[in-house]
Amino acid sequence: MGTRGAGKHRGSSRLSKKTAGIAGIAALATTGVVGTLAAPAFAADKSAGTHDANLNAVVVADELAGDVQAQADAQGQAADHAAAQAQAEAEAKQKAAEAKRIAEAKAKAEREAKERAAREEERRRLNMFVSPLDDSYVSTQYKAGGGMWSSGSHTGIDFHAASGTSVHAVGAGVVVEAGWGGAYGNNVVIKHNDGTYTQYGHMSSLSVSVGQQVTPGQQIGLSGNTGNSSGAHLHFEARTGATYGTDIDPVAYLRSHGVTL
């Protein structure tokens, strides 16, 4: 009978070791040891990767949020600046418009004041009366008697004047007669704004015509010695009408209009 030598054992083959290893792992798996040992390692690796990714996402989100907020703040500041600038411009325009309105109102008031003053001055000038001759005096009084006058008395007053002296309208009015007046020689009759009339006789020449408007102090002719006259002078009458026989006291008439003789 054949026998094996003592102490000589043949080692396990690779297949046997592998099979045994697999069997062991299977046994460990059955008892939960492998699951217990392997699961934490896998979980730890997976958890670490996820944590890093989440951390990076949070950092990026924070940076984006910061950029968005900064941009929003800048836009808000720009909008506030634009609104403030627009308000300042609007206020400046309003102040300029108000200043212009005040200046225009002031200019208008000044213009109206000047116009009123001019109208008042014109009204005063047109309503004023002057003497028919400068630097003269009455040489023959009103109602003086004598044969020189057909009515038996003087119907006006005579002013001393050399021939060719400028004769003025005593007040504003319109010329209703200008030419030869018989005994009055070259004469002018003016109807004044208050409805009264004045007559200027014995003139050497006339410088106005019928229908012409005249103003106080305007030259209407030159004194002379025409008509029923005994020498160069100006015959002046004041009347309530345009015709002969409506005469009134010329001195009182002129004085009532502010003229001192």
Side-chain angles (χ1 to χ4, degrees), residues 155-176:
T155 54
I157 56 176
D158 290 341
F159 281 94
H160 173 79
S163 183
T165 302
S166 179
V167 178
H168 309 133
V170 296
V174 58
V175 176
V176 295

Side-chain angles (χ1 to χ4, degrees), residues 173-193:
V174 58
V175 176
V176 295
E177 183 179 340
W180 186 256
Y184 291 104
N186 294 319
N187 84 127
V188 172
V189 178
I190 299 173
K191 180 180 181 181
H192 297 284
N193 296 337

Side-chain angles (χ1 to χ4, degrees), residues 192-252:
H192 297 284
N193 296 337
D194 62 357
T196 60
Y197 295 79
T198 54
Q199 183 184 33
Y200 312 78
H202 307 310
M203 290 193 288
S204 60
S205 64
L206 309 179
S207 53
V208 292
S209 57
V210 173
Q212 183 176 340
Q213 295 284 339
V214 294
T215 57
Q218 178 178 334
Q219 179 176 307
I220 59 174
L222 301 176
S223 63
N225 189 32
T226 60
N228 186 13
S229 172
S230 59
H233 68 284
L234 173 68
H235 176 81
F236 175 78
E237 286 191 17
R239 298 175 176 175
T240 58
T243 59
Y244 176 83
T246 60
D247 54 279
I248 56 177
D249 185 348
V251 174

